[in-house]
């Protein structure tokens, strides 16, 4: 009796905790509301199954616990019941999988008008790079990295010269513009993680990974590292500031380009060799 | 990961084929009684050592399939420089084939109760296997003299790693072969060694097969083959 | 064992069979230390696993102390915290759960449950244990080497695992890899035994479909482990090469702390593929034996046949096969090709179907049963609650796009602790209460057992259920200190402190359990041979605890499946597997 009640209380308590929990996802700041919706669908379906199974079990314990003279039924199988349960489960699984795959398709399909920006991780800080006036980012290579060139840009790539390099500052983004976030690491795995954006992806040395999203509200958001990267993993922080277009422009005008930073303003003259070595993303 | 998935598919087929004969759709609660009514569903009649070897071959096969998978994945990176295969490997391959043939010969001898043949086969098989290992070490030496060190390129590392893994398996086999030969030497009856001889022969054939696959991989034949398959499919 | 034709038992003097078959220990050393008896090896495996498991338990307390009260315990710094989580994870998954289920329960139960005298290769079986012990010792030694154990996380992802930004880069990671390689060699030796014993040494009449689900679970898990562990072996060897020789299997060109390193061209993702090709089947290597054992616990203590036995067997085999094609669901945000997400999300969610069927069949076994709320039954019920909970949250993480925000958060930690930490441990505990009488001849104390159950079950639930919501909030895993972040409310710290207190209480309950184990060994109520009135063969041995050779002079003959409980018309509510049918017994008596 007590056992049945406690089991039921566990089920009821879990549901109540879920409903009244003060710990819930952060208010979303990107276009990935569909991800939250998929989580909600999954919560509804799995929650119903959880409650049904545990409550049924509690009832069984209450109704069929041992009493003097009770004898269990002899009940090897019930083909029909098992088939119905299988079909029901398959439908439930499908109801979660289908929206999941649809949203994943959106997640991996980058819109053509997305602006490319770059986030680079290293132990244990973040650097950012935005395309310059030409709207393109220059190529880079880990082997170029030195104290003058912390991001390892190719010096002879003209596209790289006007790139905006933010070495130890915050990333600013304009609201409402889709961005494709290119992710690079120079040493170990990192993961560019802003809880409010929902999207995240590992940064892998030796390749360029990416995700895309559109910021939908202004504000300042914490950047954390979500892939264990060594002793100071927990301290690897930065901020992303989403602004109105005008404020963003004002900020951008104050940033230094790669050429300015490396003191090679002269390099802007006609060294038009198209492209340099580009690290190929590894498709495995 | 396609190599290991292919290997797993083969294992799944074998397991599935075996399970299909075990009456997995029977309703056991209706089948009270002695086993005599359901022939073929009892314990396997094969000797335990033979089944054990079979299972071990699956494990070793999985190991090599994983090495091959890793090889294919690593090979597509830009820094891969295939290394020239030393001619000596062809000679070594011949020696390993001889070794396998000798053990098969011993195995047939064991079935026919011909102890002399078993002794000759075991000794020839063991000697040629040792020759193969010496040849492999010489091949390593040639490569490092020519400047192909373990660390200079991943292709080199894989070459040393996979030949070493194969060699270690062969050395393990030589221990078993040595024990069998010692037993025969000390005048054991045929019934006491027949199974050991057979198991050695099976293991040798397996290692020969693995070696041929590795050789195909290291010489690049397998690539050509895979390319042709791809083209046929496209 | 020799394949004895049916009806020929009487013709062969049993003593002779025994002489050919069995190894006879000649001294105390070979009987109890270098023993080749599977039962002794099982106890050795279990005690070793428990000992190293205790270390992992203590590590979890230290981690929880740091998380619950950051800054209070000055002796735990960021490096140590990482070392603790790494060792805790690796020990619990590989050295405790895998070793306990397969080396411990597998060794003890397989020969007894299929009616064999021992494992088929006793000598190899003994070697298996000693190599396992060596692996454990090598692992434990990392606590004492310069630099301490590795802090790379139990997944050991390169490049981080072998670079100097991670603690234990000198010795810790090398010894960890060596220890894993040893473990795999030792396990392969044991695994060959478990598989071949089931295939070849079953008693007469023990068809596959008459086997208890415990044996099915352990057998399938062993087959999977034999095929999956080589992936970890390959990954470990290759990483050792990268670490010791400076090769570049997994190491791309990289700059470490401003220094250009000598590596180049390797792929960290290659390691992840190899690791998870082992790592995902590993989850089921732990889960399937638990599934099997809990089926038998529920059936025995509810006095009712397991519902849908055939479906249960097919589900075990199906889950075993499917688990080899879902590995990359651990890698949705690893940077692998996004197209893989579609495939692996689909396979992962499909595997939920056979798993759900197993859950339905467990609760349907309770339906119209005669449920004895013994301690093993309570643990089985606790298993169902925690497994259903953890299994359902798996549907979040397996569904590729849902995994994106949740991956690498405390949600993942809560999920896998619930589903492959708490749930299998519930089964381990239930199984110990269930089979302890067979191993020792005495019952474990019932009151202490119930206390242990309620504290462990409710406590673990209180630890891990709310933890999901910390992950949903966005708190990342593997942080020794949350630091300042605008999105983390102060209530999250309160919850963390609460979880820590619950963890310490659950840990304390395990000490009560250990006390019970020792106390009952001397003072427990004598149990007799079959205290639970169970049908399976291990309860029908002539001696309790079973002696060397298990069955006295004659091997048992099996006449029925493992679940003849409450058969209509039968005198008792159980019929042992080796009890001949009524009609046949009469025929047998006639001549």
């Amino acid at each position: 009796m007590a056992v049945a009640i406690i089991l039921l209380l566990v089920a009821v308590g879990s549901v109540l905790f879920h409903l009244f929990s003060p710990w819930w996802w952060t208010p979303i700041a990107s276009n990935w509301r569909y991800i939250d919706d998929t989580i909600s669908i999954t919560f509804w379906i799995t929650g119903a199954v959880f409650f049904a199974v545990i409550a049924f079990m509690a009832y069984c314990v209450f109704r069929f616990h041992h009493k003097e003279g009770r004898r269990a039924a002899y009940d090897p199988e019930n083909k029909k019941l098992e088939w119905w349960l299988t079909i029901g489960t398959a439908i439930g699984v499908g109801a979660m999988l289908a929206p999941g795959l649809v949203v994943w398709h959106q997640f991996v399909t980058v819109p053509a008008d997305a602006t490319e920006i770059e986030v680079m991780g290293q132990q244990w800080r973040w650097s950012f790079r935005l395309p310059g006036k030409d709207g393109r980012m220059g190529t880079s290579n880990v082997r170029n990295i030195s104290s003058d060139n912390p991001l390892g840009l190719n010096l002879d790539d003209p596209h790289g010269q006007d790139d905006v390099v933010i070495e130890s500052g915050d990333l600013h983004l304009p609201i409402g513009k889709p961005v494709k976030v290119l992710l690079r690491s120079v040493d170990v795995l990192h993961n560019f993680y802003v809880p409010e954006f929902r999207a995240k992806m590992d940064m892998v040395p030796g390749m360029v990974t990416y995700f895309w999203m559109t910021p939908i509200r202004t504000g300042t958001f914490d950047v954390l590292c979500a892939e264990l990267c060594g002793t100071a993993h927990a301290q690897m922080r930065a901020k992303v500031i989403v602004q109105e277009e005008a404020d963003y422009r004002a900020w951008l005008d104050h940033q230094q380009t790669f050429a300015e930073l490396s003191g090679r303003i002269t390099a802007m003259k006609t060294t038009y060799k198209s492209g340099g070595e580009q690290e190929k993303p590894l498709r495995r | 990961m396609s190599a290991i998935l292919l290997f797993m598919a083969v294992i799944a087929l074998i397991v599935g084929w075996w399970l299909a004969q075990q009456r997995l759709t029977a309703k056991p609660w209706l089948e009270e009684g002695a086993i005599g009514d359901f022939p073929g569903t009892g314990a396997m009649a094969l000797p335990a050592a033979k089944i054990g070897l079979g299972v071990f071959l699956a494990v070793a096969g999985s190991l090599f399939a994983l090495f091959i998978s890793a090889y294919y994945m690593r090979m597509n990176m830009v820094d891969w420089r295939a290394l020239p295969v030393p001619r000596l490997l062809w000679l070594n391959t011949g020696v390993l084939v001889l070794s396998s043939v000798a053990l098969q010969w011993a195995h047939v001898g064991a079935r026919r109760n011909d102890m002399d043949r078993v002794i000759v086969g075991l000794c020839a098989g063991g000697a040629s296997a040792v020759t193969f290992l010496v040849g492999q070490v010489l091949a390593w030496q040639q490569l490092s003299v020519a400047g192909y060190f373990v660390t200079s390129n991943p292709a080199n590392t894989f070459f040393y790693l996979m030949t070493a893994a194969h060699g270690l398996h062969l050395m393990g086999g030589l221990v078993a072969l040595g024990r069998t030969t010692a037993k025969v030497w000390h005048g054991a009856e045929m019934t006491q060694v027949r199974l050991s001889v057979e198991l050695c022969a099976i293991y040798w054939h397996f290692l020969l097969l693995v070696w041929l696959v590795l050789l195909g991989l290291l010489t690049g034949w397998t690539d050509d083959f895979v390319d042709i398959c791809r083209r046929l499919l496209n | 064992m020799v394949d004895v034709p049916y009806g020929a038992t009487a013709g062969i003097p049993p003593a002779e069979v025994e002489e050919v078959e069995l190894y006879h220990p000649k001294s105390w050393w070979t009987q109890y230390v270098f023993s080749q008896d599977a039962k002794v090896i099982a106890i050795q495996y279990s005690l070793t696993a428990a000992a190293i498991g205790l270390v992992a338990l203590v590590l979890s307390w230290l981690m929880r102390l740091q998380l619950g009260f950051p800054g209070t315990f000055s002796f735990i710094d960021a490096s140590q915290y990482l070392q603790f989580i790494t060792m805790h994870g690796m020990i619990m998954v590989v050295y405790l759960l895998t070793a306990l289920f397969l080396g411990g329960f597998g060794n003890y139960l397989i020969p007894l449950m299929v009616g064999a005298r021992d494992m088929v290769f006793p000598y190899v079986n003994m070697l298996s244990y000693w190599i396992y012990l060596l692996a454990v010792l090598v692992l434990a030694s990392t606590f004492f080497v310069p630099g301490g154990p590795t802090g790379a996380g139990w997944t050991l992802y390169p490049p981080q695992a072998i670079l100097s930004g991670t603690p234990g880069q000198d010795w810790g990671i090398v010894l960890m890899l060596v220890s894993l390689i040893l473990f795999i060699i030792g396990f392969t030796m044991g695994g060959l035994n478990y598989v071949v014993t089931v295939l070849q040494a079953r008693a007469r009449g023990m068809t596959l479909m008459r086997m208890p689900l415990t044996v099915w679970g352990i057998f399938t898990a062993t087959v999977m482990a034999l095929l999956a562990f080589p992936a970890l072996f390959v990954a470990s060897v290759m990483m050792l090469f990268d670490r010791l020789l400076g090769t570049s299997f997994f190491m791309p060109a990289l700059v470490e702390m401003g220094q250009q390193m000598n590596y180049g061209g390797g792929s960290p993702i290659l390691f992840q593929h190899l690791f998870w090709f082992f790592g995902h089947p590993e989850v089921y290597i732990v889960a399937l034996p638990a599934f099997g054992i809990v089926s038998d616990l529920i059936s025995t203590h509810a006095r009712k046949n397991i519902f849908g036995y055939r479906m249960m067997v097919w589900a075990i085999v199906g889950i075993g096969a499917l688990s080899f094609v879902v590995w990359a669901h651990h890698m949705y945000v690893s940077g692998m090709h996004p197209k893989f997400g579609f495939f692996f999300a689909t396979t992962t969610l499909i595997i939920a179907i056979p798993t759900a069927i197993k859950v339905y069949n467990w609760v349907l076994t309770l339906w119209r049963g005669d449920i004895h709320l013994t301690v093993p039954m309570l643990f089985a019920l606790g298993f169902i609650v925690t497994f259903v909970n953890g299994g359902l949250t798996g549907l979040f993480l397996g569904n590729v796009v849902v995994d994106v925000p949740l991956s690498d958060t405390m949600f993942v930690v809560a999920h896998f602790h619930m589903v492959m930490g708490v749930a299998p441990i519930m089964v381990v505990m239930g199984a110990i209460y269930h089979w302890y009488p067979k191993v020792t001849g005495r019952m474990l104390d019932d009151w202490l057992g119930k206390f242990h159950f309620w504290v462990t079950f409710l406590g673990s639930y209180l630890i891990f259920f709310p933890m999901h919501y910390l992950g949903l909030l966005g708190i990342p895993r593997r942080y020794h200190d949350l630091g300042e972040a605008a999105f983390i409310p102060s209530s999250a710290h309160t919850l963390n402190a609460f979880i820590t207190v619950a963890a310490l209480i659950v840990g304390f309950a395990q000490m009560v359990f250990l006390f019970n184990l020792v106390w009952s060994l001397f003072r427990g109520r004598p149990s007799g041979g079959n205290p639970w009135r169970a049908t399976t063969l291990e309860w029908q041995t002539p001696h309790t605890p079973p002696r060397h050779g298990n069955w006295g002079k004659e091997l048992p003959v099996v006449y029925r499946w493992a679940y003849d409980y409450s058969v209509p018309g039968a005198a008792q509510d159980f019929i042992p597997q080796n009890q001949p049918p009524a009609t046949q017994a009469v025929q047998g008596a006639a001549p």
Side-chain angles (χ1 to χ4, degrees), chain C residues 71 169 209 223 232 304 368 394 400 431-432 437 498 527 561:
Chain C
Q169 182 243 6
M209 293 308 273
V223 172
L232 183 63
K304 185 164 169 254
R368 292 165 68 201
V400 53
I432 291 175
F498 169 79
S527 63
W561 71 328

Side-chain angles (χ1 to χ4, degrees), chain C residues 506-521:
Chain C
V506 171
F508 164 73
Q510 309 317 304
M511 301 304 122
V512 174
F513 169 63
L514 289 182
F515 169 77
N516 194 354
L517 281 184
V518 177
W519 189 82
S520 301
L521 191 58

Side-chain angles (χ1 to χ4, degrees), chain C residues 17 42 54 56 112 124 142 189 238 254 276 302 308 364 416 420 495 502 508 511 513 524 537 565 577 588:
Chain C
V17 173
L54 266 181
L112 280 166
V124 180
T142 62
M189 293 177 157
M238 286 164 71
L254 53 88
W276 290 115
L364 285 169
F416 72 68
M420 78 171 292
L495 181 55
F508 164 73
M511 301 304 122
F513 169 63
L537 286 183
Y565 289 103
Q577 280 192 277

Side-chain angles (χ1 to χ4, degrees), chain C residues 29 34 53 55 73 120 253 300 338 354 363 395 415 418 479 492 495 517 552 582:
Chain C
W29 279 97
F34 296 102
V55 173
F73 299 92
V120 287
T300 306
V363 288
L395 292 167
H415 157 71
M418 197 71 111
Y479 271 36
L495 181 55
L517 281 184

Side-chain angles (χ1 to χ4, degrees), chain B residues 1-2 4-5 7-8 11-12 15 18-19 22-38 41-60 62-67 69-71 73-74 77-80 150-155 157-158 160-161 164 169 179, chain C residues 1 3 6 120-121 188 191-192 195-196 198-210 216 219 223 226-234 237-238 241 245-251 264-267 269-270 273-274 277 308-310 313-314 317 321 324-325 327 557-561 564 575 580-584:
Chain B
M1 303 298 279
S2 42
I4 183 67
L5 283 180
F7 179 80
M8 289 294 165
I11 297 283
V15 172
W18 176 73
L19 281 180
Q22 299 297 319
R23 303 182 67 253
L24 288 201
T25 51
K27 295 183 176 170
W29 54 93
L30 300 178
E31 295 181 344
E32 193 186 60
I35 186 64
D37 310 338
F38 321 111
T41 54
M44 287 182 171
L46 291 170
K50 200 167 177 178
I51 305 173
L53 180 68
V55 178
F56 177 72
L57 292 190
V59 177
S62 162
L63 181 79
F64 283 106
L66 281 154
F67 271 126
S69 286
Y71 182 88
M73 283 160 71
R74 185 65 181 81
M77 311 284 165
V78 280
D79 65 333
W80 186 272
V150 184
T151 52
S152 37
N153 194 275
T157 326
F158 266 110
Y160 287 102
L161 182 59
H169 277 81
R179 286 177 52 152
Chain C
M1 302 285 148
D3 191 48
Y6 175 56
V120 287
F121 312 119
T188 305
L192 284 175
V195 171
V196 179
V198 172
L199 289 179
Q200 202 258 357
R202 275 174 284 139
R204 276 189 303 122
M206 182 64 92
T207 64
L208 289 190
M209 293 308 273
R210 282 177 177 176
W216 265 110
F219 174 66
V223 172
L226 285 172
L227 295 172
F229 267 117
L232 183 63
F233 187 89
V234 167
V237 170
M238 286 164 71
F241 268 58
L245 303 179
T247 58
S248 295
F249 285 119
F250 307 130
M251 301 298 278
S267 165
I269 293 194
L270 169 57
H273 277 296
L274 290 173
F277 192 80
Y309 173 83
R310 299 191 298 163
V313 170
W314 301 338
V317 175
F324 278 99
V325 289
W327 78 88
V557 177
V558 174
Y559 295 97
R560 60 191 71 246
W561 71 328
D564 264 346
I575 311 177
T583 48
Q584 194 148 356

Side-chain angles (χ1 to χ4, degrees), chain C residues 163-510:
Chain C
L163 293 181
S164 60
T166 300
Q169 182 243 6
D170 299 324
W171 286 86
I173 183 69
V174 174
L175 290 176
M176 167 68 84
L177 295 172
V178 169
S179 171
L180 284 173
I181 288 171
L182 286 171
F183 179 90
I184 294 165
I185 294 171
F187 170 77
T188 305
M189 293 177 157
L192 284 175
N193 259 301
Y194 319 150
V195 171
V196 179
T197 303
V198 172
L199 289 179
Q200 202 258 357
R202 275 174 284 139
R204 276 189 303 122
M206 182 64 92
T207 64
L208 289 190
M209 293 308 273
R210 282 177 177 176
M211 287 200 309
L213 286 167
T214 299
V215 178
W216 265 110
I218 296 177
F219 174 66
T220 314
T222 309
V223 172
M224 290 166 59
L226 285 172
L227 295 172
F229 267 117
L232 183 63
F233 187 89
V234 167
S236 299
V237 170
M238 286 164 71
M239 201 198 269
L240 266 185
F241 268 58
D242 279 3
R243 168 67 184 76
L244 295 177
L245 303 179
T247 58
S248 295
F249 285 119
F250 307 130
M251 301 298 278
L254 53 88
V255 175
E256 201 205 6
M257 312 287 172
Q259 289 284 309
Q260 290 276 355
M261 301 291 281
N262 242 340
Y263 298 110
S267 165
I269 293 194
L270 169 57
F271 176 87
Q272 298 182 22
H273 277 296
L274 290 173
F275 183 85
W276 290 115
F277 192 80
F278 143 78
H280 195 77
E282 168 65 27
V283 173
Y284 288 95
I285 289 164
V286 172
L288 289 184
F291 290 175
I293 290 171
V294 84
S295 307
D296 286 357
L297 295 189
I298 291 175
S299 175
T300 306
H301 295 270
R303 316 306 300 159
K304 185 164 169 254
N305 57 61
I306 193 79
F307 182 82
Y309 173 83
R310 299 191 298 163
M311 210 60 135
M312 294 298 251
V313 170
W314 301 338
I316 286 181
V317 175
I319 291 171
L322 272 174
S323 69
F324 278 99
V325 289
V326 297
W327 78 88
H329 67 214
H330 297 268
M331 298 167 60
Y332 289 144
V333 295
S334 71
M336 67 169 178
H337 196 292
K339 289 261 155 62
F340 288 160
F342 295 103
F343 174 77
F344 285 103
T346 309
T347 51
T348 302
L349 265 66
I350 287 175
I351 215 172
I353 298 173
T355 314
I357 291 172
K358 296 195 75 77
V359 173
Y360 302 146
N361 285 0
W362 290 322
V363 288
L364 285 169
T365 303
L366 296 175
W367 178 252
R368 292 165 68 201
D370 173 21
I371 301 171
H372 291 246
L373 290 169
T374 55
V375 179
M377 185 54 149
L378 289 175
F379 273 104
L381 297 175
F383 163 82
I384 295 179
V385 174
T386 50
F387 181 75
V388 169
N389 192 297
L392 289 170
T393 52
L395 292 167
F396 290 71
L397 298 172
N399 198 355
V400 53
V401 84
V402 177
D403 178 62
V404 171
L406 296 178
S407 64
D408 288 303
T409 66
M410 294 306 279
F411 190 94
V412 178
V413 178
H415 157 71
F416 72 68
H417 274 94
M418 197 71 111
V419 79
M420 78 171 292
V422 179
I425 288 291
M426 288 279 148
V427 177
V428 166
M429 295 302 176
I432 291 175
Y433 284 94
H434 184 76
W435 278 295
Y436 188 87
K438 181 50 64 175
V439 179
T440 64
R442 289 175 187 275
M443 305 295 283
L444 279 167
D445 184 78
D446 204 48
W447 193 89
L448 286 178
K450 283 183 173 152
F451 173 80
H452 174 220
F453 166 74
W454 285 113
V455 177
T456 308
F457 168 61
L458 294 176
S460 320
Y461 199 81
L462 287 175
I463 295 171
F464 294 112
F465 186 76
M467 196 187 281
H468 289 92
Y469 292 81
L470 291 179
L472 202 63
L473 173 65
I475 294 179
R477 64 190 283 209
R478 292 171 169 174
Y479 271 36
H480 74 287
D481 190 345
L482 300 181
E484 287 299 311
F487 73 93
I488 303 176
S490 64
S491 61
H493 298 287
T494 318
L495 181 55
N496 253 334
F498 169 79
I499 290 175
T500 298
V501 172
L504 293 175
I505 293 172
V506 171
F508 164 73
Q510 309 317 304

